[in-house]
Every structure is written in structure tokens, then in C-alpha cells.
Amino acid sequence: SSGINAEWPLRPGDVITIDKTGEYFRMLFDVKGRFLIHRIKKDEASYKLCGVKSLSTAAKGIPVLVTHDGRTIRYPDPLIKVHDTIKLDIESGKILDHIKFEPGNLAYITGGQNCGRIGIITHKEKHPGSFDIVHVKDSVGHTFATRLSNVFPIGKGKPAWISLPRGKGIRLSIAEERDRKLAAKAKEM
């Protein structure tokens, strides 16, 4: 089950549980933008990170929050804003914690040319009438820019709230990738 409904499509961040084998997985992207099924532990499978898409007021003045996967949560913490990330308990549907969208926090890129990369948000550029641009720096010092809608905070400061796949979201250049493959082949011989 993906935590929502077996008939719904899987999205990045969804948790997959295989009851017969006791295995848990999280859907993510690799650094080339392809889907990746990442094995996780049972305690990590109990929650999911959700991006906040909108905040509004429902009937009778009830504040509601809408997440990237279509969930509507009533009475959210007033400190939570659009583009922040919430840690959602899958069983109860309650918010456990939240991450502000601000420089210094760890982010996961969910779309565009840099899909699957992970890095620290350095700053945000506002472009009235166009897309806001966010600059991100990965752990090896490479900086890249992407649209605000593609950036998904996954940690307060450096530590991530979800376990990261092999490679830790670092994209290698073509030459670095070739050198790594040649070194692996040399080890086999």
C-alpha cells in the first residue's frame, strides 16, 4: 500500500509496504530523473514528507492546508507557509513537524534538468511575472539553479528527514562517471 489507496498512482515520496516480506520502500528520483525504489526501515515507513501547495480558509473560517499529493489537513500550525514541507504520520494523517523553505535547509529537486539532485538552498531570486529561481549547492560544491516549484525541503540544516539513496543526490560529470566505471572494471579484473 502506498499510504493512500492501492488504486492511486505512486508519486515521489510515497511509501510502499510489502506485508508478506516485511519490506518497506520509498519512491524517489535518481540523479538522472528516473524513478528509484529506495529500501527504508520500518520506523521511517510510518511517515511521509509532503510539500505545502496552498493555505486557505474553508467553511466557517476553518484554516486548511493542501499538500502536493492532494491531502487536505484542517487546523495546521500557523507557522507553516506555502512551499514548506510537513512530516505527516501516514496512519493518523496528523502533522508531526515541518521544515521551513529557507536558505540553509537541505532540499530535494523533484523536476527539471536537476531532478533527483540534493543540496542546500543558498538563496531565492524573485522574478515578478515569471518563475522564481532557487539556487542550490550540493555537498561537493556544485551549484545549480531551478524553479521554485521543483524544490522540496527534506531537512532542517544538513541532516535529511528521509534516508537518501546511494550517491546522496550528487550528479557526476560525464568524465567523473567514466572514471568511476573504469575503476570498478579494474577492481573486477
Side-chain angles (χ1 to χ4, degrees), residues 52 54-55 63-65 74-87 95-102 105 153 156:
V52 178
S54 70
L55 291 164
V64 293
L65 167 151
R74 296 164 38 126
Y75 299 107
D77 185 331
L79 298 174
I80 300 172
K81 303 292 180 222
V82 175
H83 304 299
D84 290 354
T85 299
I86 59 169
K87 186 177 184 179
I95 298 173
L96 302 173
D97 203 351
H98 73 283
I99 304 167
K100 302 293 287 172
F101 185 97
E102 59 191 13
N105 283 344
K156 289 181 181 175

Side-chain angles (χ1 to χ4, degrees), residues 26 28 44 47-49 108 152 154 160-164:
R26 189 178 304 277
L28 296 171
E44 190 182 333
Y47 64 86
K48 173 182 178 176
L49 299 184
Y108 183 69
F152 185 74
I154 59 166
W161 283 5
I162 57 173
S163 62
L164 302 177

